[in-house]
Structure formats: C-alpha cells, structure tokens
Amino acid sequence: MDTKIGSLDFCKPACTDVGSLPIGATSAIQSSAPSTVINSCDATLGRHLARRLVQIGVTDVFTVPGDFNLTLLDHLIAEPGLTNIGCCNELNAGYAADGYARSRGVGACVVTFTVGGLSVLNAIAGAYSENLPLICIVGGPNSNDYGTNRILHHTIGLPDFSQELRCFQTVTCYQAVVNNLEDAHEMIDTAISTALKESKPVYISISCNLAGVPHPTFSREPVPFSLSPKLSNHLGLEAAVEAAAEFLNKAVKPVMVGGPKLRVAHAGDAFVELADASGYALAVMPSAKGLVPEHHPHFIGTYWGAVSTAFCAEIVESADAYLFAGPIFNDYSSVGYSLLIKKEKAIMVQPDRVTIANGPSFGCVLMKDFLRALAKKLRHNNTAHENYRRIFVPDGHPLKSAPKEPLRVNVLFHHIQNMLSSETAVIAETGDSWFNCQKLKLPAGCGYEFQMQYGSIGWSVGATLGYAQAVPEKRVIAFIGDGSFQVTAQDVSTMIRNGQKTIIFLINNGGYTIEVEIHDGPYNVIKNWNYTGLIDAIHNGEGKCWTTKVRCEEELIEAIETATGAKKDSLCFIEVIVHKDDTSKELLEWGSRVSAANSRPPNPQ
C-alpha cells in the first residue's frame, strides 16, 4: 500500500531514472537521454508548465476561466496529455484537485487572480491540513503592472498586488510569483518539486502576458524530476529501533494503531510488514481508514475512543503498550480529548521522528525505515489479538423493516456494505456519514477518503469529481448530507459533463445533523430542496444521469439494483429520505463529548 507522490517515487541514491511514470507511460527516461529540442513557437512558459504537470502524473487539471488566465489555459489544453476539466466555481475546483491528489498522489487547479484565488483558498487550506501535494496556479496581472500605482479589477482596489500572495503564504509550502521570463523556468520547477517533496500545496502566479511568449529557457523538453531521497540518520535509526524493541518486547499485550500520516510518510507497506511480523492487534485511527488493509488477519477496526468500532477501543485502551504510526490527535479524533491513552505506554512514530513513552525522542528517523527495521527485532506476540477474538461478537443485523416502513439509516448502510468491492471507492462527507462509513468493512482494493482534520462541509462533491476523474476504472460511491450538498451542488454538472458514473447517496434529513448533536438551534434547519428535481434540471438531457427518491427499504433495493445494473454506465443520484433524528449512536456520543470540550469555561486568570 506504499503511496507514490504523483508519478514519482524517491529514488535510491544509485538510481539514474526518474522513478515510476504515470499509468500508461512506457518507460522511465534515463539521465543519459538527450532532451528534445522544441519548436520555437511551443517553447513557452505555458507549454513548459503543461509538460511538467503531465510528467508528474497530472493528466487532468481543474479550472475556472477568468481574463487573467485565459491565455495560460490555451497553452495548457494544447498539451495532448492534459485534459481541461472546467468546474462551476473555484472552491469545487480546489476540492476536485484535492480528491484527485488522494488517488494520483498530486493534483492541480487553475483560477484567476484574487477573485478566483481567494475563492479557492479554503480548498487549498484543506489540502494543506491533509498533507496533499496540490499545484494551485493563478493567472496573475500583466507583468508591466507590477511596481506601478495602477489599480486593477478583481482586486480590493489597492495598487498593492500582494494580498492574494499573503493569504496563500500560510496555507502553501512554497509561493512563486512569475512576472518575468528570465527566472520563470526555475521558479516553476522549484514550486512543483517542493510540492512533491513536502507533500503540501504550492502557489504559482503567472502574469497573464507571459504564458504564450517563447523564451530560450523553454527550448528543450524538460528533463523529468529526479528527487533526492530523504534518508534516516543511521545511528538514530538503530538507537530508536533498539529502544522501541526493548519497550515492546517487555509488554504482555501490545497493539499497533495506524494514523493519517502513514500517507505522507509512504509507510503503508512497512506498517503492514510490522503487523505481519509482530502478530500485534492492528487498528486504525478514523482519518486513516483506507490506508491500512482491513482484510488483514489481525485487523480489529477503527480506534476512535468512545465511538470506536465494536470491541476495538477495549483492546487498544487495555493494552500495556501501543505503537501509533502517524497519528493526529485533535479534538475530533480524540472525541473531545477523551481518549484513555497514557503517554507512558505509547510509542509515537511520526514521519521523521520517534518518541518512546516518557523517555527519549529520536529525530531524522523516517517512519518507513523505522517500521521495517523494528519488524526484524520484535518477538511475535498475538495476545491482544487473541483477546479481541475472545470478546468479539459478530455484527448484528438491523431490525427487519416492516413493508413500506420509513427507511432507517442503519438499514441503508447494511445494503451499502454489499455494494463494495475492489472496483469501488467510498467518499464520506463531513457529518453523520463519517460515522456510518467508518463501520463499513472495506474489501481489498476498495478506496476510501474523507476529510477529518479540516472538516469542511461540501468538500465531498468536488472531491468526488476529482477522485472519479483520477480513477475512471473505479465506481465511486459518495455519501453526502443535504446540508453539505447545498454548499457545493453545482459540480454534479461537471461529473455528468465528463461522463462519470459515480453513485451519489444524498441523505436528506432536513438539516445540519452533526451540528445538531453538538449544539442545536434553529440555524441547523435548512430549506428542503427537491434534490432529484435539481439534478434532473442540471442534467437537462445531456449526458448519462439517472435519479430517484427512496423512502423505504423496498425502494432502496430497487434503486441499488438499477444503479448497479441497467444504469451502471450513468451517474446515479439516489435521494434517501430519512427522519431528522435518525443518526448513528456514535454521532450522539461523539457530539456530546465535542460539545463538552467546546463549552469548557475559561480558566481563572
């Protein structure tokens, strides 16, 4: 399950090629291969940028046109390997690039200056929080306007053009403002390579009059990136492994828990190797679901404190030692800071640091190296997993529905489970879908994504668009609440336009249910829409789209049969109408604990 960054993997020092190329590419370009001379009319900044995107694995770019980026878009779409995916708004374009990056390893979006840049900013911040390499490209002002006292449209009315840049500085790891051609080649290459190395978004602003101007620095085909590998400090690695092995080998019933930073550390395979070698019970934090194979024989579920999957928390919290690989402990993942985890029992493994309980910390130690080396030092100990098997009781089935009884959410997800396979992927929107989807058992190869750290409602519409575009061979199944859907509904249009075959379950319960369970008020009630009617209007007879409303189990079964049968090549939109108080028990528990954390009185001064 080792995740590559875009089309590249970090090479070993002796390697002379550029790593893995995108799916469909024939071979890696060797460092000795001569670069191709480019036609002078194609030796432009715009075409260089387009070729760079294709080289790193981006074959689709999510865009919203504006007068500052139109010439740049001309040159991007002239690249045969790059497809323009026009979105309805900048926020969704950013969310789509986020979803695309989760599957391909890197994504890109293109918007216009300030009015577009500030619109996409929220999506870029979310990608930053989730450690996703994302190239945010902005068409900037004419290069002649920099340093003048001119006021431009799409700005806040000041001659200072740095407002957008200053906003992006806190949510990107590198910013390039390209307003001359002399250093444009270097700035673009530095920005893209930094995104890949840091696994964070970057910002590139390109003056609107530069994209199509030929320049000698772009006269040859760009040589593919070969990124210098990150290396562990060998002595630090040995010391960390020795200390961790001594700590864990003394434990009676140790466990291991995977966290979301497994992705950025490219340590999924190493984590599984450690589980295989150690025999430890294996759990994941909620935001790491999908990063660890759930068909592993020692997998015990999602560890999420009081709202963990059944019997998982009891095993983790009763362990006398636990190894957390890449955790993020925030108020949401800790259920209002209520986890029963003790520091003196924990080994915390971050992408480049290991901390042993209340003892030493070792820096410059890469997670992947540490887990693989530790696997060779641990004694096999399956005590915790055996304890799990003793207390485990298989899931019950939801109460049988009476004929035409209003549909219950637990009945809905009982049927969803049977839809999952290696040819599907699940996208879960912020809200009760978090909790219901956590209980799904993912078959081998089934994708899974949600945005827990940033938790931006509406994220899933754009992310579904981007993820489905990145892996057309999979059928994406998205679960979106009605409140979230109202934020970003427009880009279902883009899904239809691009022939996607996603199944969207729109869960209509009349409001912001997750907020209701944290703190209720009239602001959590929303105007009900005719959601299928809206999608039919968006469809407008162009493309393949099928919609239906379901109110009972019989209608749900029929809808699923149609979506997976006669309409398997269409985008299917299934509006599921449920009671406003029909929530998972996990959300009820989680909401009360998060509410308690939010409402703590101020400390006395």
Side-chain angles (χ1 to χ4, degrees):
M1 297 202 51
D2 204 10
T3 307
K4 288 184 171 53
I5 299 181
S7 65
L8 304 175
D9 199 2
F10 290 115
C11 313
K12 296 176 183 177
C15 181
T16 57
D17 63 23
V18 297
S20 305
L21 288 178
I23 295 169
T26 54
S27 64
I29 299 175
Q30 301 298 316
S31 59
S32 58
S35 58
T36 308
V37 177
I38 293 175
N39 222 321
S40 60
C41 63
D42 287 333
T44 63
L45 184 161
R47 291 301 295 277
H48 174 78
L49 177 59
R51 292 183 185 98
R52 274 297 190 217
L53 292 175
V54 172
Q55 279 180 348
I56 63 171
V58 174
T59 56
D60 305 89
V61 61
F62 301 92
T63 69
V64 178
D67 59 328
F68 287 121
N69 69 16
L70 297 178
T71 303
L72 175 60
L73 289 176
D74 285 340
H75 286 78
L76 293 180
I77 65 177
E79 170 60 41
L82 197 60
T83 301
N84 178 71
I85 308 295
C87 297
C88 297
N89 59 53
E90 291 87 359
L91 179 61
N92 275 337
Y95 286 155
D98 171 313
Y100 193 92
R102 289 166 184 266
S103 177
R104 286 288 182 90
V106 61
C109 59
V110 183
V111 299
T112 197
F113 184 58
T114 306
V115 70
L118 299 189
S119 289
V120 80
L121 193 67
N122 189 50
I124 304 304
Y128 189 97
S129 77
E130 301 271 328
N131 298 296
L132 298 171
L134 198 157
I135 318 298
C136 180
I137 303 159
V138 175
N142 187 292
S143 61
N144 298 301
D145 290 327
Y146 282 90
T148 69
N149 202 36
R150 293 169 179 160
I151 294 175
L152 292 182
H153 67 289
H154 288 341
T155 70
I156 59 171
L158 297 176
D160 176 9
F161 301 156
S162 67
Q163 183 202 22
E164 178 183 82
L165 169 64
R166 284 183 279 120
C167 290
F168 273 94
Q169 283 173 334
T170 57
V171 295
T172 56
C173 67
Y174 185 86
Q175 307 82 38
V177 177
V178 181
N179 54 22
N180 72 84
L181 288 171
E182 295 302 320
D183 58 0
H185 188 288
E186 178 184 1
M187 294 182 77
I188 288 172
D189 283 4
T190 302
I192 294 175
S193 60
T194 302
L196 300 179
K197 288 186 286 187
E198 300 296 326
S199 197
K200 293 281 191 182
V202 294
Y203 164 85
I204 304 174
S205 172
I206 297 175
S207 287
C208 60
N209 60 324
L210 299 185
V213 180
H215 193 268
T217 54
F218 305 116
S219 61
R220 286 185 177 269
E221 193 76 27
V223 176
F225 292 116
S226 183
L227 303 178
S228 300
K230 293 182 178 179
L231 300 174
S232 293
N233 177 309
H234 183 66
L235 293 177
L237 175 61
E238 284 187 348
V241 169
E242 182 180 344
E246 181 183 4
F247 182 85
L248 292 169
N249 283 332
K250 289 191 297 188
V252 176
K253 45 185 180 179
V255 300
M256 50 192 292
V257 184
K261 290 186 179 179
L262 280 171
R263 189 204 300 267
V264 69
H266 312 294
D269 285 346
F271 188 72
V272 173
E273 286 178 28
L274 180 60
D276 290 339
S278 67
Y280 293 179
L282 166 64
V284 293
M285 298 183 74
S287 48
K289 187 177 177 71
L291 300 181
V292 173
E294 298 187 5
H295 58 281
H296 192 280
H298 294 155
F299 184 75
I300 64 172
T302 298
Y303 175 61
W304 201 353
V307 296
S308 301
T309 53
F311 311 106
C312 180
E314 292 81 357
I315 296 300
V316 172
E317 293 179 345
S318 66
D320 55 345
Y322 15 75
L323 182 149
F324 281 83
I328 295 178
F329 295 105
N330 61 26
D331 51 337
Y332 273 16
S333 66
S334 68
V335 198
Y337 312 112
S338 66
L339 298 184
L340 300 180
I341 294 295
K342 296 179 179 178
K343 184 179 178 183
E344 62 268 21
K345 295 182 179 182
I347 294 178
M348 297 295 175
V349 188
Q350 293 298 352
D352 58 2
R353 178 168 294 275
V354 177
T355 301
I356 313 291
N358 287 324
S361 186
F362 304 89
C364 298
V365 175
L366 299 185
M367 184 190 297
K368 180 162 54 175
D369 297 341
F370 172 78
L371 296 177
R372 287 198 164 121
L374 183 62
K376 299 172 184 175
K377 297 285 187 178
L378 292 183
R379 290 196 291 269
H380 191 271
N381 184 344
N382 63 353
T383 303
H385 186 253
E386 288 297 311
N387 289 345
Y388 171 78
R389 290 179 61 189
R390 289 187 187 95
I391 67 173
F392 177 76
V393 177
D395 288 343
H397 296 291
L399 295 173
K400 187 167 178 60
S401 300
K404 300 298 181 181
E405 177 188 345
L407 186 63
R408 300 191 307 274
V409 171
N410 56 20
V411 173
L412 166 65
F413 279 89
H414 175 69
H415 288 280
I416 297 302
Q417 180 65 63
N418 297 327
M419 298 177 67
L420 303 185
S421 71
S422 61
E423 298 176 350
T424 61
V426 173
I427 304 289
E429 175 58 81
T430 302
D432 200 20
S433 293
W434 275 4
F435 302 91
N436 288 303
C437 289
Q438 279 293 329
K439 292 181 281 188
L440 293 173
K441 293 177 175 60
L442 302 181
C446 181
Y448 185 92
E449 295 293 344
F450 81 132
Q451 188 197 56
M452 185 170 195
Q453 173 60 41
Y454 202 57
S456 184
I457 65 169
W459 162 86
S460 65
V461 177
T464 295
L465 163 64
Y467 193 99
Q469 192 65 28
V471 280
E473 66 276 12
K474 283 187 183 288
R475 190 121 196 238
V476 178
I477 306 174
F479 300 91
I480 309 175
D482 50 347
S484 296
F485 186 72
Q486 288 194 8
V487 178
T488 48
Q490 306 95 310
D491 270 285
V492 173
S493 168
T494 312
M495 299 178 196
I496 298 170
R497 186 181 186 185
N498 286 279
Q500 296 184 359
K501 53 187 180 182
T502 293
I503 302 174
I504 295 175
F505 285 92
L506 186 286
I507 301 172
N508 184 350
N509 55 13
Y512 297 120
T513 303
I514 191 169
E515 311 294 3
V516 168
E517 303 309 333
I518 296 175
H519 184 92
D520 200 6
Y523 31 75
N524 290 326
V525 178
I526 61 175
K527 170 72 175 70
N528 192 37
W529 291 1
N530 178 359
Y531 293 97
T532 55
L534 173 68
I535 300 304
D536 289 337
I538 290 173
H539 175 210
N540 198 26
E542 297 176 2
K544 294 182 178 180
C545 178
W546 175 75
T547 67
T548 189
K549 294 180 191 286
V550 301
R551 295 178 174 84
C552 61
E553 186 176 17
E554 295 90 337
E555 292 176 353
L556 174 66
I557 293 170
E558 183 179 345
I560 291 174
E561 287 177 350
T562 302
T564 56
K567 298 296 182 181
K568 65 181 181 181
D569 294 326
S570 300
L571 184 137
C572 296
F573 185 91
I574 302 173
E575 180 182 350
V576 182
I577 298 171
V578 297
H579 192 276
K580 67 181 181 66
D581 294 324
D582 186 358
T583 64
S584 64
K585 71 180 184 66
E586 291 81 9
L587 175 56
L588 297 175
E589 172 77 18
W590 179 88
S592 63
R593 289 175 182 257
V594 170
S595 176
N598 287 352
S599 58
R600 287 167 295 163
N603 290 327
Q605 299 300 315

